[in-house]
Coordinates of all heavy atoms in Angstrom, one line a residue:
M1 N 45.2 88.4 -34.2 CA 44.1 88.5 -33.3 C 44.6 88.4 -31.9 O 45.4 87.4 -31.6 CB 43.1 87.5 -33.6 CG 41.9 87.5 -32.8 SD 40.7 86.3 -33.4 CE 39.3 86.9 -32.9
T2 N 44.2 89.2 -30.9 CA 44.7 89.1 -29.6 C 43.5 89.0 -28.6 O 42.4 89.3 -29.0 CB 45.5 90.4 -29.2 OG1 44.7 91.5 -29.3 CG2 46.7 90.5 -30.1
D3 N 43.9 88.5 -27.4 CA 42.8 88.4 -26.4 C 43.4 89.0 -25.1 O 44.5 89.6 -25.2 CB 42.4 86.9 -26.2 CG 43.6 86.0 -25.9 OD1 44.7 86.5 -25.6 OD2 43.4 84.8 -25.9
A4 N 42.8 88.8 -24.0 CA 43.2 89.4 -22.8 C 44.6 88.9 -22.3 O 45.3 89.6 -21.6 CB 42.2 89.3 -21.7
V5 N 44.9 87.7 -22.7 CA 46.1 87.1 -22.2 C 47.3 87.4 -23.1 O 48.4 87.7 -22.7 CB 46.0 85.6 -22.0 CG1 47.3 84.9 -21.6 CG2 44.9 85.2 -21.1
G6 N 47.1 87.3 -24.4 CA 48.2 87.5 -25.3 C 47.7 87.1 -26.7 O 46.6 86.8 -26.9
S7 N 48.6 87.1 -27.7 CA 48.3 86.7 -29.0 C 48.2 85.2 -29.2 O 48.9 84.4 -28.4 CB 49.2 87.3 -30.0 OG 50.4 86.6 -30.0
I8 N 47.6 84.7 -30.2 CA 47.5 83.3 -30.4 C 48.8 82.8 -30.9 O 49.3 81.7 -30.6 CB 46.4 83.0 -31.5 CG1 45.0 83.4 -30.8 CG2 46.4 81.5 -31.9 CD1 43.9 83.2 -31.8
D9 N 49.5 83.6 -31.7 CA 50.8 83.1 -32.3 C 51.9 83.2 -31.4 O 52.9 82.4 -31.4 CB 51.1 84.0 -33.5 CG 50.1 83.9 -34.6 OD1 49.5 82.7 -34.7 OD2 49.9 84.8 -35.4
M10 N 51.9 84.1 -30.4 CA 53.0 84.3 -29.4 C 52.5 84.0 -28.0 O 51.9 84.9 -27.4 CB 53.5 85.7 -29.5 CG 54.1 86.1 -30.9 SD 55.7 85.4 -31.2 CE 56.6 86.3 -29.9
P11 N 52.7 82.8 -27.5 CA 52.2 82.5 -26.1 C 53.0 83.3 -25.1 O 54.1 83.8 -25.4 CB 52.5 81.0 -25.9 CG 53.5 80.7 -26.9 CD 53.3 81.7 -28.1
D12 N 52.5 83.5 -23.9 CA 53.2 84.3 -22.9 C 54.5 83.5 -22.5 O 54.5 82.3 -22.4 CB 52.3 84.4 -21.6 CG 51.1 85.2 -21.8 OD1 51.1 86.0 -22.8 OD2 50.1 85.1 -21.1
A13 N 55.5 84.3 -22.2 CA 56.8 83.8 -21.9 C 56.8 83.1 -20.6 O 57.5 82.1 -20.3 CB 57.9 84.9 -22.0
Q14 N 56.0 83.6 -19.6 CA 56.1 83.0 -18.3 C 55.4 81.6 -18.2 O 55.6 80.9 -17.3 CB 55.4 83.9 -17.3 CG 53.9 84.2 -17.7 CD 53.3 85.3 -16.9 OE1 54.1 86.1 -16.3 NE2 52.0 85.5 -17.0
D15 N 54.6 81.3 -19.2 CA 53.9 80.0 -19.2 C 54.8 78.8 -19.6 O 54.6 77.7 -19.3 CB 52.7 80.0 -20.2 CG 51.6 80.9 -19.7 OD1 51.6 81.2 -18.5 OD2 50.7 81.2 -20.5
E16 N 55.9 79.2 -20.4 CA 56.8 78.1 -20.9 C 57.9 77.9 -19.9 O 58.6 78.9 -19.5 CB 57.3 78.5 -22.3 CG 56.3 78.6 -23.3 CD 56.9 78.9 -24.7 OE1 58.1 79.0 -24.8 OE2 56.1 79.2 -25.6
A17 N 58.1 76.7 -19.5 CA 59.3 76.3 -18.7 C 60.4 76.0 -19.6 O 60.2 75.3 -20.6 CB 58.9 75.2 -17.8
P18 N 61.6 76.4 -19.2 CA 62.8 76.0 -20.1 C 63.1 74.5 -20.0 O 62.8 73.9 -19.0 CB 63.9 76.8 -19.4 CG 63.4 77.4 -18.2 CD 62.0 77.3 -18.1
E19 N 63.5 74.0 -21.1 CA 63.8 72.6 -21.2 C 64.9 72.1 -20.3 O 64.8 70.9 -19.8 CB 64.2 72.2 -22.7 CG 63.1 72.5 -23.7 CD 61.9 71.5 -23.5 OE1 62.1 70.4 -23.1 OE2 60.8 71.9 -23.8
S20 N 65.8 72.9 -20.0 CA 67.0 72.5 -19.2 C 66.6 72.3 -17.7 O 67.2 71.5 -17.0 CB 68.1 73.5 -19.3 OG 67.7 74.7 -18.8
K21 N 65.6 72.9 -17.2 CA 65.2 72.9 -15.8 C 64.2 71.7 -15.5 O 64.0 71.4 -14.3 CB 64.6 74.2 -15.3 CG 65.5 75.3 -15.3 CD 64.9 76.5 -14.7 CE 65.9 77.7 -14.7 NZ 65.3 78.9 -14.1
K22 N 63.7 71.0 -16.5 CA 62.8 69.9 -16.3 C 63.5 68.7 -15.9 O 64.5 68.4 -16.4 CB 62.0 69.6 -17.5 CG 61.0 70.7 -17.9 CD 60.2 70.2 -19.1 CE 59.1 71.2 -19.5 NZ 58.3 70.8 -20.6
K23 N 63.0 68.0 -14.8 CA 63.6 66.8 -14.4 C 62.9 65.7 -15.1 O 61.7 65.6 -15.2 CB 63.5 66.6 -12.9 CG 64.3 67.6 -12.0 CD 64.1 67.3 -10.6 CE 65.0 68.3 -9.8 NZ 64.9 68.0 -8.3
T24 N 63.7 64.7 -15.6 CA 63.1 63.5 -16.2 C 63.3 62.3 -15.4 O 64.3 62.1 -14.8 CB 63.8 63.3 -17.6 OG1 65.2 63.1 -17.4 CG2 63.5 64.5 -18.5
R25 N 62.2 61.6 -15.3 CA 62.3 60.3 -14.5 C 62.4 59.1 -15.5 O 61.9 59.2 -16.6 CB 61.0 60.1 -13.7 CG 60.9 61.0 -12.5 CD 60.0 60.4 -11.5 NE 58.8 61.2 -11.4 CZ 57.8 60.9 -10.7 NH1 57.7 59.7 -10.1 NH2 56.8 61.7 -10.6
K26 N 63.1 58.1 -15.0 CA 63.2 56.9 -15.9 C 62.5 55.8 -15.2 O 63.0 54.9 -14.7 CB 64.7 56.6 -16.0 CG 65.5 57.6 -16.7 CD 66.9 57.2 -16.9 CE 67.7 58.2 -17.7 NZ 69.1 57.8 -17.9
G27 N 61.1 55.8 -15.4 CA 60.4 54.6 -15.0 C 59.6 54.8 -13.6 O 58.8 54.0 -13.4
G28 N 60.0 55.7 -12.8 CA 59.3 55.9 -11.5 C 59.4 54.6 -10.6 O 60.5 54.1 -10.5
K29 N 58.3 54.1 -10.1 CA 58.4 53.0 -9.2 C 58.8 51.7 -10.0 O 59.5 50.9 -9.4 CB 57.0 52.7 -8.6 CG 56.6 53.7 -7.5 CD 55.3 53.4 -7.0 CE 54.8 54.4 -5.9 NZ 53.5 54.0 -5.4
R30 N 58.4 51.6 -11.2 CA 58.7 50.4 -12.0 C 60.2 50.3 -12.3 O 60.7 49.2 -12.5 CB 57.9 50.4 -13.2 CG 56.4 50.1 -13.0 CD 55.6 50.0 -14.2 NE 55.6 51.4 -14.7 CZ 55.0 51.7 -15.8 NH1 54.4 50.8 -16.6 NH2 54.9 53.0 -16.2
G31 N 60.8 51.4 -12.5 CA 62.3 51.4 -12.8 C 63.2 51.0 -11.7 O 64.3 50.5 -12.0
K32 N 62.7 51.0 -10.5 CA 63.5 50.7 -9.3 C 63.5 49.2 -9.0 O 64.2 48.8 -8.1 CB 63.1 51.5 -8.1 CG 63.3 53.0 -8.3 CD 62.8 53.8 -7.1 CE 62.9 55.3 -7.4 NZ 62.4 56.0 -6.3
K33 N 62.5 48.5 -9.5 CA 62.3 47.1 -9.1 C 62.8 46.2 -10.3 O 62.7 46.5 -11.4 CB 60.9 46.8 -8.8 CG 60.4 47.6 -7.6 CD 59.0 47.3 -7.3 CE 58.5 48.1 -6.1 NZ 57.1 47.9 -5.8
G34 N 63.1 45.0 -9.9 CA 63.5 44.0 -10.9 C 62.2 43.3 -11.5 O 61.1 43.7 -11.1
P35 N 62.4 42.3 -12.3 CA 61.2 41.7 -12.9 C 60.3 41.0 -11.9 O 59.1 41.1 -12.1 CB 61.8 40.6 -13.8 CG 63.3 40.9 -13.9 CD 63.6 41.8 -12.8
L36 N 60.8 40.4 -10.8 CA 60.0 39.8 -9.8 C 59.2 40.8 -9.0 O 58.1 40.6 -8.7 CB 60.8 38.9 -8.9 CG 61.4 37.7 -9.5 CD1 62.2 36.9 -8.5 CD2 60.3 36.8 -10.1
G37 N 59.8 42.0 -8.8 CA 59.1 43.1 -8.1 C 58.0 43.7 -8.9 O 56.9 43.9 -8.4
R38 N 58.3 43.7 -10.2 CA 57.2 44.2 -11.1 C 56.1 43.2 -11.2 O 54.9 43.6 -11.2 CB 57.7 44.5 -12.5 CG 58.6 45.8 -12.5 CD 59.0 46.2 -13.9 NE 59.8 45.1 -14.4 CZ 60.8 45.2 -15.3 NH1 61.1 46.4 -15.7 NH2 61.4 44.2 -15.7
L39 N 56.4 42.0 -11.2 CA 55.4 40.9 -11.3 C 54.5 40.9 -10.0 O 53.3 40.8 -10.0 CB 56.0 39.5 -11.4 CG 55.1 38.4 -11.7 CD1 54.3 38.6 -13.0 CD2 55.8 37.1 -11.8
A40 N 55.2 41.1 -8.8 CA 54.5 41.2 -7.6 C 53.6 42.4 -7.5 O 52.4 42.3 -7.0 CB 55.4 41.2 -6.4
L41 N 54.0 43.5 -8.0 CA 53.2 44.8 -8.1 C 52.0 44.5 -9.0 O 50.9 44.9 -8.6 CB 54.1 45.9 -8.6 CG 53.3 47.2 -8.8 CD1 52.8 47.8 -7.5 CD2 54.2 48.2 -9.5
F42 N 52.2 43.9 -10.1 CA 51.1 43.6 -11.0 C 50.1 42.7 -10.3 O 48.9 43.0 -10.4 CB 51.7 42.9 -12.3 CG 50.6 42.5 -13.3 CD1 50.0 43.5 -14.0 CD2 50.4 41.2 -13.6 CE1 49.0 43.2 -14.9 CE2 49.4 40.9 -14.5 CZ 48.8 41.9 -15.2
Y43 N 50.5 41.7 -9.6 CA 49.6 40.8 -8.9 C 48.8 41.5 -7.8 O 47.6 41.4 -7.7 CB 50.4 39.6 -8.3 CG 49.5 38.7 -7.5 CD1 48.7 37.8 -8.1 CD2 49.6 38.7 -6.1 CE1 47.9 36.9 -7.4 CE2 48.8 37.9 -5.3 CZ 47.9 37.0 -6.0 OH 47.1 36.2 -5.3
R44 N 49.5 42.4 -7.1 CA 48.8 43.2 -6.1 C 47.8 44.1 -6.7 O 46.7 44.4 -6.1 CB 49.8 44.0 -5.3 CG 50.6 43.2 -4.2 CD 51.3 44.1 -3.2 NE 52.2 45.0 -3.8 CZ 53.5 44.8 -4.2 NH1 54.0 43.6 -3.9 NH2 54.2 45.7 -4.7
Q45 N 48.1 44.7 -7.9 CA 47.1 45.6 -8.5 C 45.9 44.8 -9.0 O 44.8 45.3 -8.9 CB 47.8 46.3 -9.7 CG 48.8 47.4 -9.3 CD 49.5 47.9 -10.4 OE1 49.5 47.4 -11.5 NE2 50.2 49.0 -10.2
I46 N 46.1 43.5 -9.5 CA 45.0 42.7 -9.9 C 44.1 42.4 -8.7 O 42.9 42.5 -8.8 CB 45.5 41.4 -10.5 CG1 46.2 41.7 -11.9 CG2 44.4 40.3 -10.7 CD1 46.8 40.5 -12.5
V47 N 44.7 42.0 -7.6 CA 43.9 41.7 -6.4 C 43.1 42.9 -5.9 O 41.9 42.9 -5.6 CB 44.8 41.2 -5.3 CG1 44.0 41.0 -4.0 CG2 45.3 39.8 -5.7
A48 N 43.7 44.1 -6.0 CA 43.1 45.4 -5.6 C 41.9 45.7 -6.5 O 40.8 46.1 -6.1 CB 44.0 46.5 -5.6
E49 N 42.0 45.4 -7.8 CA 40.9 45.7 -8.7 C 39.8 44.7 -8.6 O 38.7 45.0 -8.7 CB 41.5 45.6 -10.2 CG 42.3 46.8 -10.6 CD 41.5 48.2 -10.6 OE1 40.4 48.2 -11.0 OE2 42.1 49.1 -10.1
L50 N 40.1 43.4 -8.3 CA 39.1 42.4 -8.1 C 38.3 42.7 -6.8 O 37.2 42.3 -6.7 CB 39.7 41.0 -8.1 CG 40.1 40.4 -9.4 CD1 40.8 39.1 -9.2 CD2 38.9 40.3 -10.3
R51 N 38.9 43.3 -5.8 CA 38.2 43.7 -4.6 C 37.1 44.8 -4.9 O 36.2 44.9 -4.1 CB 39.1 44.1 -3.5 CG 39.9 43.0 -3.0 CD 40.9 43.4 -1.9 NE 41.9 42.4 -1.7 CZ 42.1 41.8 -0.6 NH1 41.4 42.2 0.4 NH2 43.0 40.9 -0.5
K52 N 37.3 45.6 -5.9 CA 36.4 46.6 -6.3 C 35.2 46.1 -7.0 O 34.2 46.8 -7.1 CB 37.1 47.7 -7.2 CG 38.2 48.4 -6.5 CD 38.8 49.4 -7.4 CE 40.1 50.0 -6.9 NZ 40.7 50.9 -7.9
V53 N 35.3 44.9 -7.6 CA 34.2 44.4 -8.4 C 33.0 44.1 -7.5 O 33.1 43.5 -6.4 CB 34.6 43.1 -9.1 CG1 33.5 42.4 -9.9 CG2 35.8 43.4 -10.1
V54 N 31.8 44.4 -8.0 CA 30.5 44.1 -7.3 C 30.0 42.8 -7.9 O 29.6 42.7 -9.1 CB 29.5 45.2 -7.5 CG1 28.2 44.8 -6.9 CG2 30.0 46.5 -7.1
W55 N 30.2 41.7 -7.1 CA 29.8 40.4 -7.6 C 28.3 40.2 -7.5 O 27.7 40.6 -6.5 CB 30.6 39.3 -6.8 CG 32.1 39.5 -7.0 CD1 32.9 40.0 -6.1 CD2 32.8 39.0 -8.1 NE1 34.2 40.0 -6.6 CE2 34.1 39.3 -7.8 CE3 32.5 38.4 -9.3 CZ2 35.2 39.0 -8.7 CZ3 33.5 38.1 -10.1 CH2 34.8 38.4 -9.9
P56 N 27.7 39.5 -8.5 CA 26.2 39.3 -8.4 C 25.9 38.2 -7.4 O 26.7 37.3 -7.1 CB 25.9 38.9 -9.8 CG 27.1 38.3 -10.4 CD 28.2 39.1 -9.8
T57 N 24.7 38.3 -6.9 CA 24.2 37.2 -5.9 C 23.9 36.0 -6.8 O 23.8 36.1 -8.0 CB 23.0 37.7 -5.1 OG1 21.9 38.0 -6.1 CG2 23.3 39.0 -4.3
R58 N 23.6 34.9 -6.1 CA 23.2 33.7 -6.8 C 21.9 33.8 -7.6 O 21.8 33.4 -8.7 CB 23.1 32.5 -5.8 CG 22.8 31.2 -6.5 CD 22.8 30.1 -5.5 NE 24.2 29.8 -4.9 CZ 25.1 29.0 -5.5 NH1 24.8 28.4 -6.6 NH2 26.2 28.8 -4.9
S59 N 20.9 34.5 -7.0 CA 19.7 34.7 -7.8 C 19.9 35.6 -9.0 O 19.3 35.4 -10.1 CB 18.6 35.3 -6.8 OG 19.0 36.6 -6.4
Q60 N 20.7 36.7 -8.8 CA 21.0 37.5 -10.0 C 21.7 36.7 -11.1 O 21.4 36.8 -12.3 CB 21.9 38.7 -9.6 CG 21.1 39.7 -8.8 CD 22.0 40.8 -8.3 OE1 23.3 40.6 -8.1 NE2 21.5 42.0 -8.1
L61 N 22.7 35.9 -10.7 CA 23.5 35.1 -11.6 C 22.5 34.1 -12.3 O 22.7 33.9 -13.6 CB 24.6 34.3 -10.9 CG 25.6 33.7 -11.8 CD1 26.3 34.6 -12.7 CD2 26.5 32.9 -10.9
T62 N 21.6 33.5 -11.6 CA 20.6 32.6 -12.3 C 19.7 33.3 -13.3 O 19.5 32.8 -14.4 CB 19.8 31.9 -11.2 OG1 20.6 31.3 -10.2 CG2 18.8 30.9 -11.8
T63 N 19.3 34.5 -12.9 CA 18.4 35.3 -13.8 C 19.2 35.7 -15.0 O 18.7 35.6 -16.2 CB 17.9 36.6 -13.0 OG1 17.2 36.2 -11.9 CG2 17.0 37.4 -14.0
Y64 N 20.4 36.2 -14.9 CA 21.2 36.6 -16.0 C 21.5 35.5 -17.0 O 21.5 35.6 -18.2 CB 22.5 37.2 -15.6 CG 22.4 38.5 -14.7 CD1 23.4 38.9 -13.9 CD2 21.3 39.3 -14.8 CE1 23.3 40.0 -13.1 CE2 21.1 40.5 -14.0 CZ 22.2 40.8 -13.2 OH 22.1 41.9 -12.4
T65 N 21.8 34.3 -16.4 CA 22.2 33.1 -17.1 C 20.9 32.7 -18.0 O 21.0 32.3 -19.1 CB 22.7 32.0 -16.3 OG1 23.8 32.5 -15.5 CG2 23.1 30.8 -17.1
T66 N 19.8 32.7 -17.3 CA 18.5 32.3 -18.0 C 18.2 33.2 -19.1 O 17.8 32.8 -20.2 CB 17.4 32.2 -17.0 OG1 17.7 31.4 -15.9 CG2 16.1 31.8 -17.6
V67 N 18.4 34.5 -18.9 CA 18.1 35.5 -20.0 C 19.1 35.3 -21.1 O 18.6 35.3 -22.3 CB 18.3 36.9 -19.4 CG1 18.3 38.0 -20.5 CG2 17.1 37.2 -18.5
V68 N 20.3 35.0 -20.9 CA 21.3 34.8 -22.0 C 20.9 33.5 -22.7 O 20.9 33.5 -24.0 CB 22.7 34.7 -21.4 CG1 23.7 34.2 -22.5 CG2 23.1 36.1 -20.9
I69 N 20.6 32.4 -22.1 CA 20.3 31.2 -22.7 C 19.0 31.3 -23.6 O 19.0 30.9 -24.7 CB 20.2 30.0 -21.7 CG1 21.6 29.7 -21.2 CG2 19.5 28.8 -22.3 CD1 21.6 28.7 -20.0
V70 N 18.0 32.0 -23.0 CA 16.8 32.2 -23.8 C 17.1 33.0 -25.1 O 16.6 32.7 -26.2 CB 15.7 32.8 -22.9 CG1 14.5 33.3 -23.7 CG2 15.2 31.9 -21.9
F71 N 17.8 34.1 -24.9 CA 18.2 35.0 -26.0 C 18.9 34.2 -27.1 O 18.6 34.3 -28.3 CB 19.0 36.1 -25.6 CG 19.5 37.1 -26.7 CD1 18.6 37.9 -27.3 CD2 20.8 37.0 -27.1 CE1 19.0 38.7 -28.3 CE2 21.2 37.8 -28.2 CZ 20.3 38.7 -28.8
V72 N 19.9 33.3 -26.7 CA 20.7 32.6 -27.7 C 19.8 31.6 -28.4 O 19.9 31.4 -29.6 CB 21.9 31.9 -27.0 CG1 22.5 30.8 -27.9 CG2 22.9 32.9 -26.5
V73 N 18.9 30.9 -27.7 CA 17.9 30.0 -28.3 C 17.1 30.7 -29.3 O 16.8 30.2 -30.4 CB 17.1 29.2 -27.2 CG1 16.0 28.5 -27.9 CG2 18.0 28.3 -26.5
I74 N 16.6 31.9 -29.0 CA 15.7 32.6 -29.9 C 16.5 33.0 -31.2 O 16.0 32.9 -32.3 CB 15.1 33.9 -29.2 CG1 14.1 33.4 -28.2 CG2 14.5 34.9 -30.2 CD1 13.6 34.6 -27.3
M75 N 17.8 33.5 -31.0 CA 18.6 33.8 -32.1 C 18.9 32.6 -33.0 O 19.0 32.7 -34.2 CB 19.9 34.6 -31.6 CG 19.6 35.9 -31.0 SD 18.7 37.0 -32.0 CE 19.8 37.3 -33.4
I76 N 19.2 31.5 -32.4 CA 19.4 30.3 -33.2 C 18.2 29.9 -34.0 O 18.3 29.6 -35.2 CB 19.8 29.1 -32.2 CG1 21.2 29.3 -31.7 CG2 19.7 27.8 -33.0 CD1 21.6 28.3 -30.6
G77 N 17.0 30.0 -33.4 CA 15.8 29.7 -34.2 C 15.6 30.7 -35.3 O 15.2 30.3 -36.4
L78 N 15.9 32.0 -35.0 CA 15.7 33.0 -36.1 C 16.7 32.8 -37.2 O 16.3 32.8 -38.4 CB 15.9 34.4 -35.5 CG 15.8 35.6 -36.4 CD1 14.3 35.7 -36.8 CD2 16.3 36.9 -35.7
V79 N 17.9 32.5 -36.9 CA 18.9 32.3 -38.0 C 18.6 31.0 -38.7 O 18.7 30.9 -40.0 CB 20.3 32.2 -37.4 CG1 21.3 31.7 -38.4 CG2 20.7 33.5 -36.9
T80 N 18.1 30.0 -38.1 CA 17.7 28.7 -38.7 C 16.5 28.9 -39.7 O 16.6 28.4 -40.8 CB 17.3 27.7 -37.7 OG1 18.4 27.4 -36.8 CG2 16.9 26.3 -38.3
V81 N 15.5 29.7 -39.3 CA 14.4 30.0 -40.2 C 14.8 30.8 -41.4 O 14.5 30.5 -42.5 CB 13.3 30.7 -39.4 CG1 12.2 31.3 -40.3 CG2 12.7 29.8 -38.4
I82 N 15.7 31.8 -41.2 CA 16.2 32.6 -42.3 C 17.0 31.8 -43.2 O 16.9 31.8 -44.5 CB 17.0 33.8 -41.8 CG1 16.0 34.8 -41.1 CG2 17.7 34.5 -42.9 CD1 16.7 35.9 -40.4
D83 N 17.9 30.9 -42.7 CA 18.7 30.0 -43.5 C 17.9 29.1 -44.3 O 18.1 28.9 -45.5 CB 19.7 29.3 -42.6 CG 20.7 28.4 -43.4 OD1 21.3 29.0 -44.4 OD2 20.8 27.2 -43.1
Y84 N 16.9 28.5 -43.7 CA 16.0 27.5 -44.4 C 15.2 28.3 -45.5 O 15.1 27.7 -46.6 CB 15.0 26.9 -43.4 CG 14.0 25.9 -44.0 CD1 14.5 24.7 -44.4 CD2 12.7 26.3 -44.2 CE1 13.6 23.8 -45.0 CE2 11.8 25.4 -44.8 CZ 12.3 24.1 -45.2 OH 11.4 23.2 -45.7
G85 N 14.8 29.5 -45.2 CA 14.1 30.2 -46.2 C 15.0 30.6 -47.4 O 14.6 30.5 -48.6
F86 N 16.2 31.0 -47.2 CA 17.1 31.4 -48.2 C 17.5 30.1 -49.0 O 17.6 30.2 -50.3 CB 18.4 32.1 -47.7 CG 18.2 33.5 -47.4 CD1 18.7 34.1 -46.3 CD2 17.6 34.3 -48.4 CE1 18.5 35.5 -46.0 CE2 17.4 35.7 -48.2 CZ 17.9 36.2 -47.0
S87 N 17.7 29.0 -48.4 CA 18.1 27.8 -49.1 C 16.9 27.3 -50.0 O 17.2 26.9 -51.1 CB 18.5 26.7 -48.2 OG 17.3 26.3 -47.4
N88 N 15.7 27.4 -49.6 CA 14.5 27.1 -50.4 C 14.4 28.1 -51.6 O 14.1 27.7 -52.7 CB 13.3 27.0 -49.7 CG 13.2 25.8 -48.9 OD1 13.8 24.8 -49.2 ND2 12.4 25.7 -47.8
L89 N 14.7 29.4 -51.3 CA 14.6 30.4 -52.4 C 15.7 30.1 -53.4 O 15.4 30.2 -54.6 CB 14.8 31.8 -51.8 CG 14.8 33.0 -52.7 CD1 13.3 33.1 -53.3 CD2 15.2 34.2 -52.0
I90 N 16.9 29.8 -53.0 CA 18.0 29.5 -54.0 C 17.6 28.2 -54.8 O 17.9 28.2 -56.0 CB 19.3 29.4 -53.2 CG1 19.7 30.7 -52.6 CG2 20.4 28.8 -54.2 CD1 19.9 31.8 -53.5
K91 N 17.1 27.2 -54.1 CA 16.7 26.0 -54.8 C 15.6 26.3 -55.9 O 15.6 25.8 -57.0 CB 16.2 24.9 -53.9 CG 17.3 24.3 -53.1 CD 16.7 23.2 -52.1 CE 17.8 22.7 -51.2 NZ 17.2 21.7 -50.2
Y92 N 14.7 27.2 -55.5 CA 13.6 27.6 -56.4 C 14.1 28.3 -57.6 O 13.7 28.1 -58.8 CB 12.5 28.4 -55.7 CG 11.4 28.8 -56.6 CD1 10.4 27.9 -57.0 CD2 11.4 30.2 -57.0 CE1 9.4 28.4 -57.8 CE2 10.3 30.6 -57.8 CZ 9.3 29.7 -58.2 OH 8.3 30.2 -59.0
I93 N 15.1 29.3 -57.4 CA 15.6 30.1 -58.4 C 16.5 29.3 -59.4 O 16.4 29.4 -60.6 CB 16.4 31.3 -57.9 CG1 15.4 32.3 -57.2 CG2 17.1 32.1 -58.9 CD1 16.1 33.4 -56.4
F94 N 17.4 28.6 -58.9 CA 18.4 27.8 -59.7 C 18.0 26.4 -60.0 O 18.8 25.7 -60.6 CB 19.8 27.9 -59.0 CG 20.3 29.3 -59.0 CD1 20.4 30.0 -57.7 CD2 20.7 30.0 -60.1 CE1 20.9 31.3 -57.7 CE2 21.2 31.3 -60.0 CZ 21.3 32.0 -58.8
G95 N 16.9 26.0 -59.5 CA 16.4 24.6 -59.8 C 17.1 23.6 -59.0 O 17.3 22.5 -59.1

């Protein structure tokens, strides 16, 4: 089966680059630095990423914390009720 460019089985010869002409790099920027240079680069990248973070305001943080605590308390109550029900059911069945 062929299309406008060529066949599926035989790709165009001009699209393929010969293996011998390709340049290979050994590590790029990381390959040129020692362990301390790589550690400093890693630290700079961490600081740069932390500057991008949108930090919540105090009121947002209070709201989020309250929502999480209320949710956890509700889930604890739900699991407690289910556990109590199952334990009474097992006591009833097995005596």
Side-chain angles (χ1 to χ4, degrees):
M1 181 177 205
T2 61
D3 55 10
V5 177
S7 74
I8 294 174
D9 297 329
M10 300 282 296
D12 294 339
Q14 62 194 10
D15 291 343
E16 293 181 8
E19 294 292 326
S20 62
K21 292 185 179 180
K22 288 184 179 179
K23 292 183 179 180
T24 59
R25 285 202 246 172
K26 295 184 178 179
K29 289 182 180 179
R30 287 181 289 179
K32 297 177 184 176
K33 298 181 180 179
L36 292 178
R38 287 188 299 214
L39 188 62
L41 175 65
F42 179 68
Y43 178 72
R44 284 193 304 271
Q45 289 174 347
I46 289 174
V47 171
E49 287 297 320
L50 284 175
R51 289 176 197 242
K52 296 178 188 177
V53 173
V54 178
W55 297 100
T57 62
R58 184 175 293 272
S59 65
Q60 288 174 332
L61 189 62
T62 304
T63 303
Y64 298 156
T65 304
T66 304
V67 167
V68 167
I69 290 173
V70 167
F71 177 76
V72 168
V73 167
I74 289 172
M75 292 307 295
I76 287 172
L78 182 66
V79 169
T80 302
V81 168
I82 292 172
D83 184 49
Y84 181 74
F86 279 133
S87 67
N88 282 341
L89 181 67
I90 296 297
K91 285 179 187 176
Y92 178 74
I93 291 174
F94 294 110

